[in-house]
Amino acid sequence: MPSVSQTPPPHSMPDLAARQRAMARAGEATSDELRAALARTGAVTEAQDLRPTETGLVMVRGRIGGDGRAFNAGEATVTRAAVRLPGGETGFAYHLGRDRVRARLAAILDAHWQRPEARPALEAALDAIAGRRAEAVRQAARKTAATRVNFFTLARGED
Amino acid sequence: MYVAVKGGEAAIDNAHRLLAEVRRGDPAVPELTVAQIREQMRLLVDRVMTEGSLYDPDLAALALKQARGDVVEAVFLVRAYRTTLPRFGATEPLDTGGMTLARRISATFKDLPGGQVLGPTFDYTHRLVDFALEDGADPAPAAEAKPEADAAACPRVTDLLGQAGLLEPSPPDEGAPVGDLTREPVDYPADRALRLQGLARGDEGFILALGYSTQRGYGRTHPFVGEIRVGAVELEFTPEELGFPVSLGTVDLTECQMINQFHGSGAVPPQFTRGYGLVFGQGERKAMAMALVDRSLRAAELGEAVVVPAQDQEFVLAHCDSLQATGFVEHMKLPHYVDFQAELELVRRLRAEHAALAAEPVQDDPTLREAAE
Amino acid sequence: MAHTLAHGFADPVHEGQAVFRAAMDALSRPGQIRPLATTLAPPAPLIPELAALALALTDADTPVWLDAPLRAEPAVAAFLRFHTGAPLVDAPDRAAFALIADPARCPAFAAFSQGTPAYPDTSATLILAVETLSNSAGPAFAGPGIRGTAHLDAGPLPADWASRWAANHAAFPLGLDLLFVASARLAGLPRSARPVALEAMPCT
């Protein structure tokens, strides 16, 4: 796939990393959690679709040997949404799976996140969602850790 | 003589209605839900995702329900579904080094940073049927332990061994276009990236048998399991309209690094060579077999004679896809009345000629003629 | 960027199919002018018909090359990226489709991918936004999909157009396919269209 672009889009916003992090956390939320997060900020969930929310595919790339040349490992379903708020902010979401409602809510949240007055409340809501996820991951890690092998060596009579 | 035949339509409709009823089974037994299949037949779901070449556990579970549990039929459904969807692009290459591990073992190195972590495995079970499962009792909760400090970052075994130069490095990523056999027809010889794509979606039974054949002497490669890791990896995708990567979420994967012997050459000092396997979900058998076959398919690259099936690219790649294979095998059951009629006429003529030569009258079988007509 | 983003197809499936159908008909009946209706309002100098073909034909698998006037307007790239997901490439020989708003300065055909003998379908398709597009005059063509001969007057085009097309046809099965768009209409010129010298034309 050619990677050369003629005119890179203007994505040099200073808080890009923060936005990416917000989008990633929104991607781990349920629809209900997203609705609740938007409601907490008093944000409207009305938005205009820039493009109908749709399900499609991405080709999942792996690397030969884990760190070498890329190869196509297989595809995954992805649902994407792109919305515009009455104030002009545009929001996007790309999520694994086929849940259109959830993707559209996440896109609306991404748009509201760009409003400085809405950001702190949304960040707090996303932190709570991320906390729930982190706890689940921590518990799985504890169960996995219990299956770690602790080797012990038997003395064989040599010094 | 060609006779146009009509009349199958009602039979086909009714066969499909009967299929739906038989699929449901005894109505006195509660119906399976897709969520039940997804959660409790997870390895089957993983296999359908891998061979269907589409990561979507709910879809694979639904396909299995519709297919009455027939893996190849479910793969067919998943592959058909994907053809209806637009492709948004390709993800950034995923990093298995950053995997949230559910399992990680090495058969070659006992003491590894991060350790040997068994996870949920059939290994070391006694393979005795557990009749307690008939009653559906809840299992005892899994044991828990505090993860050790080195569990957070588990380097791939091959990264550790590679540092000493004992192991060949992975082929470097020079930004070459990544071939896609779902987009362009395969030309032989196919490069390793294209071969891995084919093997990843190949039928588990076929790949397993080929991998096994290399161990039994049909293309010996002296394999060791460097590492198998199972767990979740984050996928990132850069939409054209955004120009920056966004997280799509995580997928469960199984990766196998096979380490194989190599005698070196004038230019290359002796070092271990490698085979690689990567599949969706938990699929160790498939990932291991894939890694064995990946290595054996590198025969030409490594200066080995191509003499056995598992070293023959075209044999392996052209026959490993269960959907292609079943399509060609199973189409044989569809009506071939006209083809067979032609063959029958030919055989009759040859028999007549044969009989004339032998000056012996041969009795034509009237029942055969009726059957064909 | 997206604050002023122009809309795409309101009904992507059916509008996309209709435009695809028009392009297919245009290429299967070389030289015949076909209607191409669209309600798109893309950023200039991308005309609506050029945009409609881009939305119907291109996606993440089809690298797109833009000519200088289209490249000069960032809103064009933003519009195409958003609605098609197609990668925009600098090198014309890497493009599956080339969008050309200034056909008089169309680069040499050799700059674009010609396909390979095994896969001639991998050559580029050029989509040119022309001012003149009529059947009443212009050079004549014959070949598959043409009953007798077809005239196609498209312009403005570079002065060496006739020799370019003759060379393109001579390279068959390799070579470029062209789609010409103008206000509400389009015509196709596939590589199979043979230029017919005027003196060699049969009397009709």
Side-chain angles (χ1 to χ4, degrees):
Chain A
M1 185 62 57
S3 56
V4 194
S5 293
Q6 289 173 333
T7 46
H11 60 76
S12 50
M13 47 190 293
D15 43 7
L16 176 63
R19 182 176 170 203
Q20 285 172 299
R21 216 162 40 243
M23 290 172 82
R25 283 175 293 166
E28 294 178 334
T30 64
S31 293
D32 287 342
E33 284 173 329
L34 292 173
R35 259 189 223 99
L38 286 166
R40 266 173 63 171
T41 65
V44 290
T45 51
E46 274 90 67
Q48 181 201 344
D49 284 325
L50 283 172
R51 182 172 56 202
T53 303
E54 63 176 337
T55 298
L57 304 169
V58 293
M59 177 52 87
V60 177
R61 292 251 164 97
R63 287 192 182 281
I64 300 173
D67 58 353
R69 255 193 76 186
F71 73 99
N72 290 315
E75 290 167 313
T77 52
V78 165
T79 299
R80 68 177 180 186
V83 300
R84 174 159 48 203
L85 299 182
E89 297 86 357
T90 56
F92 295 83
Y94 279 79
H95 292 171
L96 286 172
R98 288 170 287 125
D99 192 337
R100 289 181 173 79
V101 172
R102 196 170 78 90
R104 192 165 186 280
L105 285 166
I108 293 170
L109 191 146
D110 176 47
H112 280 292
W113 184 92
Q114 293 166 65
R115 295 167 47 227
E117 66 275 22
R119 191 172 305 177
L122 287 175
E123 279 288 332
L126 289 173
D127 281 345
I129 292 163
R132 170 188 63 76
R133 284 274 307 178
E135 181 45 42
V137 170
R138 257 196 305 278
Q139 203 195 0
R142 289 179 59 80
K143 290 177 180 175
T144 302
T147 68
R148 180 167 172 164
V149 179
N150 292 310
F151 290 105
F152 51 91
T153 309
L154 300 175
R156 295 195 297 173
E158 294 161 22
D159 285 1
Chain B
M1 184 176 63
Y2 175 70
V3 183
V5 178
K6 283 192 70 162
E9 208 173 314
I12 290 168
D13 283 346
N14 289 338
H16 292 168
R17 284 174 60 179
L18 180 59
L19 171 66
E21 191 177 290
V22 170
R23 173 191 297 126
R24 174 62 183 85
D26 182 353
V29 176
E31 186 177 353
L32 263 178
T33 67
V34 170
Q36 283 170 344
I37 298 171
R38 185 194 65 218
E39 295 301 315
Q40 298 172 41
M41 291 284 137
R42 185 58 205 246
L43 300 187
L44 189 55
V45 167
D46 289 346
R47 181 168 174 184
V48 170
M49 292 199 299
T50 295
E51 295 179 28
S53 203
L54 184 65
Y55 193 95
D56 188 326
D58 289 292
L59 188 80
L62 177 60
L64 276 164
K65 179 175 179 176
Q66 185 179 336
R68 305 177 65 198
D70 181 331
V71 172
V72 178
E73 186 69 24
V75 166
F76 200 158
L77 293 169
V78 166
R79 295 265 189 100
Y81 176 78
R82 72 162 278 286
T83 65
T84 65
L85 300 178
R87 190 192 282 177
F88 300 148
T91 66
E92 308 294 322
L94 56 88
D95 177 18
T96 53
M99 183 182 275
T100 304
L101 292 173
R103 168 166 166 80
R104 186 269 202 128
I105 55 165
S106 171
T108 44
F109 300 97
K110 182 165 64 70
D111 298 308
L112 292 167
Q116 308 266 356
V117 184
L118 300 183
T121 179
F122 295 124
D123 298 350
Y124 315 110
T125 62
H126 295 102
R127 267 72 182 215
L128 299 174
V129 173
D130 181 1
F131 289 96
L133 287 173
E134 279 187 323
D135 300 330
D138 284 336
E144 296 188 26
K146 187 175 183 303
E148 288 180 39
D150 63 355
C154 295
R156 283 177 293 250
V157 165
T158 46
D159 299 343
L160 301 170
L161 194 64
Q163 287 164 9
L166 295 170
L167 192 65
E168 65 165 353
S170 299
D173 187 356
E174 284 153 349
V178 185
D180 182 353
L181 55 76
T182 70
R183 287 294 196 257
E184 306 107 29
V186 177
D187 275 331
Y188 298 101
D191 71 16
R192 193 173 169 197
L194 214 51
R195 300 199 302 259
L196 284 171
Q197 184 184 11
L199 293 176
R201 55 199 266 133
D203 182 72
E204 181 172 311
F206 183 81
I207 306 289
L208 175 67
L210 280 173
Y212 180 42
S213 74
T214 69
Q215 291 180 282
R216 286 197 66 255
Y218 291 84
R220 255 175 103 72
T221 52
H222 305 275
F224 297 94
V225 170
E227 182 179 358
I228 292 170
R229 53 172 61 200
V230 183
V233 174
E234 185 179 31
L235 289 185
E236 284 196 332
F237 173 65
T238 303
E240 279 292 323
E241 73 266 21
L242 288 178
F244 59 81
V246 295
S247 170
L248 297 175
T250 61
V251 291
D252 292 331
L253 298 170
T254 301
E255 178 187 61
C256 175
Q257 304 268 7
M258 206 64 88
I259 296 176
N260 308 74
Q261 220 169 60
F262 179 50
H263 294 294
S265 65
V268 185
Q271 61 179 179
F272 291 106
T273 59
R274 295 160 65 182
Y276 187 67
L278 183 73
V279 300
F280 289 151
Q282 185 170 2
E284 288 167 44
R285 185 186 306 120
K286 171 68 183 287
M288 293 172 72
M290 176 179 171
L292 290 172
V293 179
D294 171 47
R295 172 59 186 80
S296 68
L297 287 178
R298 297 179 60 205
E301 171 200 344
L302 295 169
E304 298 161 351
V306 176
V307 287
V308 300
Q311 293 168 325
D312 183 331
Q313 290 196 8
E314 189 162 354
F315 179 82
V316 174
L317 295 180
H319 300 116
C320 69
D321 191 272
S322 63
L323 186 52
Q324 288 172 4
T326 208
F328 205 38
V329 168
E330 287 203 63
H331 100 281
M332 296 302 301
K333 67 193 172 188
L334 300 175
H336 282 65
Y337 306 138
V338 178
D339 305 50
F340 188 67
Q341 177 75 26
E343 298 280 314
L344 202 55
E345 293 297 337
L346 181 63
V347 171
R348 281 201 184 108
R349 203 168 66 238
L350 292 172
R351 283 171 63 89
E353 287 167 9
H354 183 267
L357 277 175
E360 275 177 14
V362 171
Q363 209 65 39
D364 190 36
D365 182 351
T367 59
L368 208 53
R369 180 192 294 270
E370 278 162 26
E373 285 167 1
Chain C
M1 120 204 144
H3 282 238
T4 55
L5 189 66
H7 65 86
F9 288 139
D11 178 356
V13 172
H14 293 103
E15 288 180 53
Q17 282 178 349
V19 175
F20 180 86
R21 178 82 206 189
M24 189 173 71
D25 287 346
L27 285 170
S28 52
R29 295 278 177 239
Q32 277 191 19
I33 291 169
R34 312 222 148 225
L36 179 63
T38 176
T39 56
L40 295 176
L46 189 66
I47 66 167
E49 292 76 12
L50 208 49
L53 282 169
L55 264 55
L57 298 180
T58 70
D59 65 13
D61 287 327
T62 56
V64 169
W65 181 85
L66 303 179
D67 76 348
L70 294 174
R71 204 164 38 215
E73 175 48 69
V76 169
F79 174 85
L80 293 172
R81 276 202 185 91
F82 180 78
H83 289 296
T84 71
L88 303 178
V89 292
D90 287 327
D93 64 340
R94 296 182 71 179
F97 291 92
L99 304 186
I100 294 166
D102 183 4
R105 289 183 186 76
C106 177
F109 284 1
F112 298 98
S113 168
Q114 306 291 312
T116 63
Y119 301 108
D121 54 300
T122 55
S123 69
T125 300
L126 271 47
I127 310 176
L128 304 104
V130 290
E131 288 161 23
T132 311
L133 190 62
S134 96
N135 286 134
S136 57
F141 300 92
I146 302 172
R147 188 185 296 273
T149 57
H151 287 271
L152 184 65
D153 185 17
L157 293 173
D160 63 345
W161 193 255
S163 63
R164 281 193 195 196
W165 188 257
N168 189 57
H169 172 72
F172 188 88
L174 306 187
L176 310 178
D177 302 314
L178 309 187
L179 285 164
F180 295 105
V181 293
S183 176
R185 59 204 198 279
L186 89 162
L189 204 57
R191 65 195 91 172
S192 59
R194 186 176 77 246
V196 179
L198 284 174
E199 58 270 27
M201 276 180 60
C203 297
T204 50

